[in-house]
């Protein structure tokens, strides 16, 4: 029998969100976290950041840390903060998304031109489409192939450059409602990444897609031994997360541009501008609004 579906008593989070919990007053754990983090001593967490930076930047003669970026507000903000406030030069990595937009392309170019070393990964298009399809069928994610790749491809690059620390942006589980398992832990490993961020469906989706091994390099994790050498962390652990602040900093220092109109389903115009698949748009008018890139004359929505 299906469980009762309800909304958070103070926001729009639904009880169907994976791993979300509610208190006796019906408030979701994202709302609880929003209040809780106001009481934190963020200076202490910044000291933890400095310790981690010292630990991992001393371990490599190459680039010291990786920051995955889309050209958007959050990765740009983190890369800028590392470089300007902590003197750490990150290697920035972009995984080219399906249904890439023109403004997304421009923002990546502007970000790189603002002074960062950058690797741009373009995974096999057939593999991306198949994994997105079966990820949608099996897990409800229309961009599951890309979701895989923004983890696996970054790890593959970290392995090859002998980089031991990767900074992702906010921990969506904690900030928006989900698992609180890592609420008080600065770092996590690949097993947690697979279980939570890939919804435990990675192997099943790969199996369903029936793809040739030669197409899967960027969608495969490094060996278990290599993964143990790489530590993952979220910037939101060390600093109170503020997407609008990130946007303003990225706009000023990294050339970030926003769309002229608000994005479908929201009131903002500065987030999720790199690709059009996020909101599953189907009409040609919507595709034009999202400025989708023409891929050789093929309709992509």
């Amino acid at each position: 029998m299906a469980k009762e579906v309800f909304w958070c008593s103070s926001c729009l989070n639904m009880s169907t969100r994976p791993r979300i919990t509610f208190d006796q007053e019906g408030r979701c754990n994202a709302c609880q976290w929003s209040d809780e983090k106001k009481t934190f001593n963020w200076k202490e967490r910044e000291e933890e950041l400095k310790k981690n930076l010292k630990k991992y930047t001393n371990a490599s003669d190459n680039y010291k840390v990786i920051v995955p970026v889309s050209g958007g507000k959050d990765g740009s903000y983190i890369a800028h903060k590392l470089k300007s406030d902590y003197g750490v030069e990150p290697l920035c990595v972009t995984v080219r998304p399906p249904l890439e937009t023109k403004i997304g392309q421009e923002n990546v170019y502007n970000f790189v031109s603002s002074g960062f070393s950058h690797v741009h990964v373009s995974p096999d298009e057939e593999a991306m489409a198949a994994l997105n399809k079966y990820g949608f069928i099996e897990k409800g994610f229309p961009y599951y192939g890309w979701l895989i790749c923004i983890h696996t491809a970054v790890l593959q690059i970290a392995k090859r450059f002998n980089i031991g620390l990767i900074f992702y942006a906010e921990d969506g589980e904690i900030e928006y409602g989900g698992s609180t398992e890592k609420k008080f832990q600065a770092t996590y490993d690949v097993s947690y990444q697979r279980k939570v961020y890939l919804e435990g469906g990675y192997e099943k989706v790969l199996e369903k897609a029936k793809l040739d091994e030669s197409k899967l390099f960027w969608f495969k994790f490094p060996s278990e031994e290599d993964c143990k050498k790489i530590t993952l962390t979220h910037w939101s652990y060390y600093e109170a997360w503020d997407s609008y602040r990130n946007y303003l900093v990225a706009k000023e220092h990294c050339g970030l541009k926003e769309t002229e109109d608000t994005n479908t389903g929201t009131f903002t115009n500065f987030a999720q501008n790199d690709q059009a698949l996020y909101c599953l748009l189907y009409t040609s008018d919507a595709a034009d609004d999202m400025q989708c890139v023409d891929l050789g004359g093929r309709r992509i929505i």
Side-chain angles (χ1 to χ4, degrees):
M1 186 174 178
K3 293 182 179 179
E4 179 188 1
V5 176
F6 59 91
W7 282 261
C8 172
S9 60
S10 60
C11 79
L12 295 178
N13 256 336
M14 289 182 68
S15 60
T16 54
R17 183 177 174 90
R19 297 170 296 279
I20 197 168
T21 58
F22 297 82
D23 64 16
Q24 291 183 339
E25 297 176 351
R27 298 177 76 239
C28 71
N29 53 0
C31 288
Q32 296 169 53
W33 171 250
S34 180
D35 290 338
E36 185 179 357
K37 66 183 180 180
K38 292 175 184 176
T39 68
F40 284 3
N41 183 338
W42 289 102
K43 281 291 183 183
E44 290 182 358
R45 289 202 170 196
E46 185 183 17
E47 290 305 311
E48 197 169 351
L49 168 63
K50 291 176 180 177
K51 288 178 182 177
N52 280 336
L53 286 173
K54 185 176 180 179
K55 175 181 177 181
Y56 291 101
T57 57
N58 287 343
S60 174
D61 294 328
N62 304 306
Y63 293 102
K64 308 303 184 182
V65 301
I66 284 179
V67 177
V69 300
S70 67
K73 57 184 173 43
D74 298 330
S76 300
Y77 173 80
I78 295 165
H80 172 75
K81 285 283 287 187
L82 282 168
K83 186 175 180 178
S84 64
D85 289 15
Y86 300 100
V88 174
E89 185 78 41
L91 177 62
C92 300
V93 179
T94 300
V95 177
R96 193 179 303 279
L99 306 193
E100 186 178 25
T101 63
K102 291 178 182 178
I103 193 171
Q105 287 182 332
E106 188 175 356
N107 278 333
V108 170
Y109 177 81
N110 289 346
F111 169 76
V112 176
S113 297
S114 70
F116 292 95
S117 299
H118 181 255
V119 174
H120 209 153
V121 178
S122 298
D124 183 89
E125 200 172 302
E126 178 187 346
M128 179 71 80
L131 293 169
N132 282 341
K133 173 184 174 181
Y134 287 102
F136 187 37
I137 293 169
E138 298 294 332
K139 306 302 297 180
F141 277 93
Y143 51 91
Y144 192 82
W146 188 53
L147 181 65
I148 291 172
C149 203
I150 60 176
H151 297 295
T152 53
V154 174
L155 287 165
Q156 291 287 6
I157 290 172
K159 170 191 171 182
R160 279 152 181 78
F161 281 88
N162 190 31
I163 297 173
L165 184 61
I166 299 172
F167 280 95
Y168 283 94
E170 79 273 42
D171 186 343
E173 293 292 300
I174 296 170
E175 296 292 329
Y176 311 129
S179 171
T180 57
E181 181 181 345
K182 302 293 183 182
K183 184 163 68 168
F184 297 113
Q185 296 179 37
T187 62
Y188 61 101
D189 58 19
V190 170
S191 63
Y192 181 78
Q193 190 180 51
R194 292 170 72 131
K195 177 181 74 173
V196 175
Y197 301 121
L198 296 183
E199 299 283 344
Y202 171 72
E203 286 82 5
K204 185 175 183 179
V205 170
L206 253 65
E207 181 183 348
K208 288 279 187 179
K210 293 182 168 54
L211 291 161
D212 189 281
E213 194 70 21
S214 64
K215 294 182 176 292
L216 289 176
F217 173 79
W218 292 115
F219 299 95
K220 300 295 282 287
F221 286 92
S223 70
E224 185 176 347
E225 192 61 35
D226 286 326
C227 285
K228 288 179 180 177
K229 301 174 184 176
I230 302 169
T231 298
L232 308 167
T233 190
H234 288 105
W235 192 265
S236 62
Y237 178 86
Y238 308 103
E239 183 181 50
W241 192 249
D242 185 339
S243 293
Y244 189 69
R245 172 206 59 203
N246 298 355
Y247 155 65
L248 294 177
V249 172
K251 184 177 177 66
E252 179 180 358
H253 297 283
C254 304
L256 178 69
K257 293 186 177 181
E258 62 285 294
T259 58
E260 292 184 6
D261 300 317
T262 57
N263 296 338
T264 301
T266 184
F267 55 86
T268 64
N269 65 345
F270 55 82
Q272 298 294 345
N273 287 330
D274 54 340
Q275 42 83 27
L277 191 57
Y278 183 77
C279 51
L280 271 181
L281 303 177
Y282 289 107
T283 68
S284 59
D285 288 342
D288 290 341
D289 289 344
M290 287 298 294
Q291 297 179 293
C292 294
V293 177
D294 181 8
L295 300 177
R298 291 184 289 120
R299 293 193 61 78
I300 56 177
I301 284 189

